[in-house]
Amino acid sequence: MIKIANVSFPTDHIRLLFGLKLRQLRLDKGLSVSELAQASGMSVSYVTEIEKGRKYPKTDKIAALANAMQVDYDSLVSLKLSKKLEPISDLLRSNFLTEIPLELFGIDPADLLELLAEAPDKVSAMIRTFMDIAQSYNMSVERLYLTMLRSYQEMYDNHFEDIEAAASQFLSEFLPQGQPVSESLLTNLLRLQYNIDIHQFDPVTQPELAQLRSVFRPESQVLHLNANLTTNQKTFILARELGFQYLNLKVRPCTYAWVEAESFEQILNNYKASYFAGAILIRREQLASRLEAFFQRETWSSDDFLQLIADFHSTPERFFYRLSNILPRDFGIDQLFFYRFNNTAGQNIFRLTKEMHLSRLQGPRGMVDEHHCRRWVALTSLQELALLQQQKEFNGSLCRAQLSQYADTGKTYLIITVAHPHQPQIGQNMSVSMCFAVNDALKSKMRFLNNPANGINHRIVNEACERCGLFDCRERVAAPTVLQKRRQLEAMKRGMESLK
C-alpha cells in the first residue's frame, strides 16, 4: 500500500495509474507503441505490459520513457492525472476495485480501467447512472453485495467443487462410516479443535437480540446461540461456524441471520461457510440416491417430498438450496430457479426476499411497483397455510406442486413449494420454491412428468398483474397498466405508419 496526497493506493493500482498515464501521454504525442519502444530503447512487449499496468519500470526505464516523450521525470511519475483520466482516479479512490474481486467474474481490473481510459466520459457516466439508480431505489451496500453474490452463484450453477471436496474430506476424517453429523459432534469439534466455547443468550431477557440466531465474539472465541433455536437451526449454525474454521475463512460476519456487510469478501466467505454446512449436513451421494428413486415414481406425492426433507433433518430452504448445488452437476438439470416469499397470515402482501436463477429463461424475479401473479403456487400455498392455521390450528409445513404455464410465452415450469411458519409469534409465514423448466431433459429425469395422471395441478399464470392480458382472472389485484401502455404505444406506431 502506497499513500499519496492522503490517499492510500495498493501497489497494483499504482502500476495501473502509471500505465494509463503513459498511454495517454503517448497518444497525446501521436506516438505508436512501437515508436515509443524504439525511442526509449525498450521492446514493444515491455512497453505494452507497462501500459496495461502489469509492470512498473525501474528508474532508468522511466527516465528513458520521459526523454522519449519530451516530458520531465517528475511529471511522469506523479499520480496527478489529466482531466480526461480523472474518473479513473475517482474509481481507484473508491472501494470498488479493492472490495470486489472482479477476477471472480472473469474481469481483469486492468482491462476495466483501459476501457475507462478510452472513453472516460461515457463509461464514467454509465457508472454514475448505475449508482444513481441504486440510490433511487435505496439499494444498500449489503444489498448490492448480495446481488453480486447471487450473480456469482448463477455463473457457476451454484456448484463449487472445491467446497464439495473440503466437505468430503471433513466427513472422511470425522464420520467415515456415513453417520449423520450431530449437534454433539459439531460442538465437541468446535471446542476441542478450535477452542471455541458455546454459550446461549435468552431473547426474553435480551429482546434486542431476539432477531439474531447467533453472535460470534472473536476476541473471546465464544459462539453465542439464541436459546429459542430449533435443533435443526442450531445444528446448521454450528456446522456453519465449523465451515469458517475448517476452510480458514478469516474475513467473516459475526452474526446470523442478520449480516452487516463490510466487504464483498465477507459476504462471499459467509456463503462459502454456509455451503460447507449444507454439504456436510446433507451428503451429496445420499441425496442423489434418494432423488433418483423419487424421480422414478409414476405420480407426485407432496407428503413423501416433505418426508424426504425431514429424513435429512433439514429446513425446506436449506434442502432446496442443497438441491440447487446437486441437480445441475449430478442430474444435468440446470434450467431452474429458487425463490422465497414472506407473508403475514391474512394479508395480501407478498415479499420476494430471496431469489436465484440458474437459467436466463423466463421466471419469477424481483419487481418494483408491480404485483406478482397471484396464481403462483408460492403465493397460493401461503394463503392456504394461513387458512389452515386459522381454522384448524395447523402449525406444520405445507407442500404443493404445480405445472405453471405462462400465458404470454406458453412455456411451462414445474414448481415445488413448501410453505411453513417463519415467525409464528407475529403471524409471519414463508414459502420456498424450486422451479424447473419443463423440457425433454427434465422429463427424462422425472418420470412422473410423463404421466398425465401425475397428481400435479396445472394452471395458466403470468408475471405480474400489470403486464397480464388475462382479463377474466379472479386473482387479479391490479389493473394491467403496463400492458395497456404498451398496446397504446403499438397502436400509435401503427397510426404513424399509416400516414402518407
Side-chain angles (χ1 to χ4, degrees), residues 246-260:
Y246 193 81
L247 299 175
N248 195 30
L249 303 173
K250 301 297 185 184
V251 180
R252 52 161 297 176
C254 292
T255 56
Y256 184 82
W258 174 80
V259 174
E260 184 178 21

Side-chain angles (χ1 to χ4, degrees), residues 22 36 40 61-74 76:
L22 178 67
L36 176 58
S40 60
K61 301 292 187 184
I62 295 175
L65 289 168
N67 183 60
M69 290 190 294
Q70 298 180 344
V71 298
D72 62 88
Y73 181 97
D74 290 341
L76 184 57

